[in-house]
């Protein structure tokens, strides 16, 4: 072998050995990610019918992030923000990726992700479950840092006997999907390997269709007459909401049961104390709240929905409600994060990128752009300054056409639709946490002053990230409300 080639091979081998040695003292990371899960769908949150004892215990054993949000309340852009630490408009994914309308659209090759950085630092990595960031081989999870993939590239599959990608081949796998994915996750973490691991387990539950589930998961809800959040909402289809609530909570119970299986496997393999468990979801969910169900691309669940308006078909209710944006999040790290810790600081899915790197002791490469902030000091109980304002964005383009931007403080929320200014909304979250009264319908000088202040902050954030929505309407103050939103 020529001397230069031998030297190069030696350097590569040394770097690989150094990475392995450096990774030896790093914790394993298990990231459990649900789909369409609202924080209210947990027993620990006070829901009268939720059956989630495993998750309730997990939230108590570590840190409960009570004000954790996504920056886009729909699947693909939320997942893109999680992976990249950047807003959806920055990576070109602003709504869920439609497999027929945009089969080649997805996360661009070479986009920095934290799974890739962990892989390069010596972690063995796997994604089990849902990807939904591109269907082509160039957008495959293994191109973004996951050494092993078992699941589905698109947004949907069946809750039973699903068609999955297994060892690069598409096959129908018998069984209930949460059980199948959990079994694969347990199989993967059971492998003998000295390297620390990153395992992302992305359930599709509790995304609809919610049934079938295992008999033990359905039994508590079969005859349930559930309590509804807004039972007196005008013209609410109560019967439908109750049926969907039963099915949704049963799907959540299937998640809870399977997370129990996974945590038991960690204990049986002696991995519990050396594994950081992160639990979160891609966005929240409405179930009769404010007369709608679904997420940011919400649907009216009324017997007679309002008529269609330009860009908004009948039956649609695009929104930036907290129930769509807030995500249930807990982090358990034995010996580092104390049990029973609650964090009320406003944290977004952008913040996972730097936080996970900090947990793993991995440095962000120079020049890598991301918008998040590490909240590891907060997890350790340390004092630090923290900005609690939140900026979020969502361009709906399938069922409706909107360009919504949201700025939220602890008290106030402003939502501007840059395509449909008559849909602008503002809420006083302290007096109206359910966001039932749009203050812009009867604007006063005091409301106008607060609206203008929030709008200035919103536009400043948009300019900082070169948000293309600024070109859709003059970037000054919001236009006067011309059409109310029910």
């Amino acid at each position: 072998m020529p001397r230069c080639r031998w030297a190069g091979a030696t350097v590569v081998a040394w770097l690989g050995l150094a990475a392995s040695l450096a990774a030896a003292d790093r914790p394993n990371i298990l990231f459990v990610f649900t789909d369409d899960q609202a924080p209210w769908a947990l027993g620990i949150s006070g829901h009268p019918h939720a059956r989630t004892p495993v998750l309730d215990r997990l939230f108590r054993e570590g840190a409960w992030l009570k004000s954790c949000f996504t920056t886009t309340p729909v699947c693909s852009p939320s997942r893109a923000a999680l992976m990249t630490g950047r807003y959806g408009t920055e990576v070109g994914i602003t709504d869920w990726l439609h497999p027929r309308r945009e089969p080649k659209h997805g996360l661009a090759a070479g986009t920095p992700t934290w799974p890739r950085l962990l892989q390069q630092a010596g972690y063995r990595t796997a994604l089990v479950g849902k990807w939904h960031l591109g269907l082509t081989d160039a957008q495959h999870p293994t191109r973004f840092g996951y050494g092993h993939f078992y699941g589905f590239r698109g947004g949907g599959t069946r809750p039973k006997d699903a068609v999955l990608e297994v060892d690069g081949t598409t096959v129908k796998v018998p069984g209930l999907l949460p059980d199948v994915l959990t079994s694969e996750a347990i199989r993967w973490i059971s492998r003998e390997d000295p390297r620390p691991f990153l395992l992302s387990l992305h359930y599709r539950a509790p995304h609809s269709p919610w049934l079938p589930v295992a008999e033990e998961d359905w039994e508590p809800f079969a005859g349930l007459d559930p309590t509804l959040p807004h039972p007196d909402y005008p013209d609410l289809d109560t019967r439908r909401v109750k049926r969907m609530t039963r099915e949704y909570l049963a799907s959540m119970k299937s998640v809870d049961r399977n997370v129990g299986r996974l945590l038991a496997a960690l204990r049986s393999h002696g991995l519990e104390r050396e594994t950081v468990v992160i639990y979160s979801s891609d966005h929240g969910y409405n179930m009769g709240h404010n007369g709608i169900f679904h997420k940011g691309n919400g649907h009216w669940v009324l017997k007679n929905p309002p008529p269609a308006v330009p860009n908004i078909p009948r039956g649609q209710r695009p929104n930036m409600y907290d129930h769509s944006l807030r995500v249930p999040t807990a982090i358990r790290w034995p010996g580092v994060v104390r049990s029973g810790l609650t964090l009320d600081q406003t944290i977004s899915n952008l913040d996972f990128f730097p936080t996970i790197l900090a947990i793993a002791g991995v440095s962000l490469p120079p020049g890598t752009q991301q918008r998040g902030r590490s909240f590891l000091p907060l997890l350790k109980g340390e004092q630090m300054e923290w900005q609690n304002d939140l900026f979020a964005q969502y361009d709906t383009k399938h069922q409706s056409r909107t360009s919504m931007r949201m700025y939220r403080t602890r008290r106030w929320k402003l939502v501007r639709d840059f395509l449909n200014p008559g849909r602008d909304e503002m809420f006083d979250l302290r007096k109206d946490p359910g966001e039932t009264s749009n203050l812009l319908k009867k604007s006063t000088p005091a409301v106008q002053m607060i609206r203008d202040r929030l709008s200035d902050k919103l536009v400043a954030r948009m300019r900082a990230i070169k948000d293309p929505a600024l070109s859709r309407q003059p970037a000054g103050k919001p236009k006067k409300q011309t059409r109310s939103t029910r």
Side-chain angles (χ1 to χ4, degrees):
M1 177 185 292
R3 183 175 180 180
C4 61
R5 291 181 61 190
W6 179 88
T10 301
V11 170
V12 170
W14 168 251
L15 289 175
L17 177 61
S20 297
L21 291 174
D25 295 328
R26 293 171 177 166
N28 303 313
I29 298 173
L30 170 59
F31 200 128
V32 179
F33 204 53
T34 54
D35 193 345
D36 280 18
Q37 187 191 342
W40 53 258
L42 293 169
I44 195 173
S45 297
H47 194 284
H49 309 302
R51 299 292 183 269
T52 54
V54 173
L55 295 175
D56 296 347
R57 184 169 63 251
L58 177 66
F59 274 63
R60 293 189 182 100
E61 289 175 344
W64 180 4
L65 283 59
K66 290 192 171 184
S67 295
C68 191
F69 295 85
T70 178
T71 52
T72 304
V74 76
C75 185
S76 299
S78 175
R79 291 164 190 267
L82 172 70
M83 289 289 115
T84 68
R86 303 179 71 189
Y87 292 97
T89 54
E90 296 186 284
V91 295
I93 301 176
T94 58
D95 201 353
W96 63 279
L97 295 176
H98 198 298
R100 293 184 298 277
R101 296 178 184 174
E102 42 192 3
K104 296 184 179 181
H105 188 46
L107 200 58
T111 303
T113 64
W114 53 266
R116 177 184 286 149
L117 294 176
L118 263 60
Q119 184 184 51
Q120 293 171 348
Y123 274 74
R124 65 183 180 108
T125 59
L127 169 62
V128 175
K130 179 174 177 175
W131 176 237
H132 209 185
L133 288 176
L135 298 173
T136 70
D137 289 344
Q139 298 150 351
H140 195 271
T142 55
R143 300 292 184 95
F144 295 94
Y146 289 111
H148 174 72
F149 174 63
Y150 177 107
F152 49 104
R153 303 189 199 184
T157 190
R158 299 161 52 153
K160 183 179 180 181
D161 301 338
V163 175
L164 304 176
E165 183 176 325
V166 180
D167 296 328
T169 303
T170 301
V171 297
K172 179 184 285 189
V173 181
L176 296 164
L177 185 58
D179 299 62
V180 168
L181 297 180
T182 304
S183 293
E184 171 62 15
I186 292 172
R187 186 188 69 81
W188 188 82
I189 65 173
S190 302
R191 294 176 178 176
E192 292 291 335
D193 195 310
R195 296 173 294 170
F197 67 74
L198 159 67
L199 171 61
S200 295
L201 173 55
H202 291 188
Y203 291 114
R204 191 170 188 258
H207 192 293
S208 64
W210 302 296
L211 302 182
V213 296
E215 182 61 31
E216 62 187 294
D217 299 329
W218 175 244
E219 191 274 332
F221 309 102
L224 178 69
D225 182 18
T227 301
L228 303 185
H230 290 166
D232 298 326
Y233 194 92
D235 205 32
L236 185 71
D237 191 340
T238 301
R239 182 176 179 180
R240 185 182 178 196
V241 176
K242 288 187 175 184
R243 174 185 59 79
M244 292 193 299
T245 300
R246 287 190 290 269
E247 295 178 3
Y248 183 87
L249 292 177
S251 183
M252 265 310 306
K253 188 173 186 302
S254 77
V255 171
D256 187 81
R257 176 175 56 81
N258 277 287
V259 171
R261 294 175 58 210
L262 186 61
L263 297 181
L266 285 181
R267 288 192 296 272
S268 67
H269 290 287
L271 297 171
E272 184 175 56
R273 294 202 60 80
E274 57 195 70
T275 301
V276 180
V277 178
I278 303 172
Y279 182 93
S280 193
S281 190
D282 54 353
H283 45 72
Y285 206 77
N286 302 270
M287 188 62 80
H289 303 83
N290 292 308
I292 67 171
F293 80 101
H294 216 47
K295 44 220 174 196
N297 53 353
H299 307 287
W300 289 110
V301 62
L302 308 178
K303 295 175 183 177
N304 294 287
V309 296
N311 292 327
I312 314 292
R314 187 173 187 265
Q316 301 298 307
R317 184 35 168 113
N319 70 89
M320 299 285 270
Y321 288 132
D322 272 11
H323 283 304
S324 298
L325 290 162
R326 195 187 296 267
V327 292
T329 304
I331 299 178
R332 188 185 75 181
W333 189 357
V336 177
V337 177
R338 69 173 177 84
S339 297
L341 177 66
T342 59
L343 297 181
D344 292 317
Q345 289 87 345
T346 299
I347 290 166
S348 85
N349 55 347
L350 300 174
D351 299 324
F352 280 112
F353 192 123
T355 303
I356 290 173
L357 291 189
I359 287 172
V362 176
S363 299
L364 186 71
T368 303
Q369 188 178 49
Q370 51 84 46
R371 304 292 181 180
R373 305 161 292 173
S374 172
F375 54 86
L376 180 57
L378 298 177
L379 292 175
K380 292 182 175 181
E382 300 172 4
Q383 296 294 319
M384 66 179 298
E385 292 186 5
W386 192 264
Q387 169 58 256
N388 287 295
D389 292 359
L390 175 71
F391 169 73
Q393 53 178 202
Y394 185 18
D395 292 345
T396 64
K397 58 183 181 179
H398 299 311
Q399 293 101 329
S400 60
R401 294 193 61 80
T402 66
S403 187
M404 296 179 287
R405 300 295 182 267
M406 186 278 294
Y407 198 89
R408 184 188 191 280
T409 69
R410 284 188 179 273
R411 177 166 184 180
W412 303 102
K413 175 191 280 191
L414 175 69
V415 181
R416 293 184 58 184
D417 187 338
F418 283 75
L419 279 181
N420 309 281
R423 298 187 66 251
D424 291 356
E425 299 172 293
M426 193 174 85
F427 301 103
D428 183 341
L429 299 175
R430 184 181 302 168
K431 296 180 179 179
D432 180 26
E435 300 170 87
T436 61
S437 178
N438 178 10
L439 298 177
L440 298 185
K441 287 184 178 182
K442 296 181 180 180
S443 184
T444 65
V447 167
Q448 178 74 35
M449 181 180 66
I450 296 168
R451 181 187 71 171
D452 290 349
R453 187 178 77 238
L454 294 173
S455 183
D456 287 343
K457 292 183 177 183
L458 181 146
V459 169
R461 188 68 62 90
M462 293 173 71
R463 286 178 177 152
I465 64 170
K466 297 180 173 59
D467 192 320
L470 283 172
S471 64
R472 297 172 191 147
Q473 179 185 311
K477 304 298 186 287
K479 292 182 179 180
K480 184 178 179 181
Q481 197 81 358
T482 58
R483 183 176 65 249
S484 66
T485 53
R486 183 171 177 176

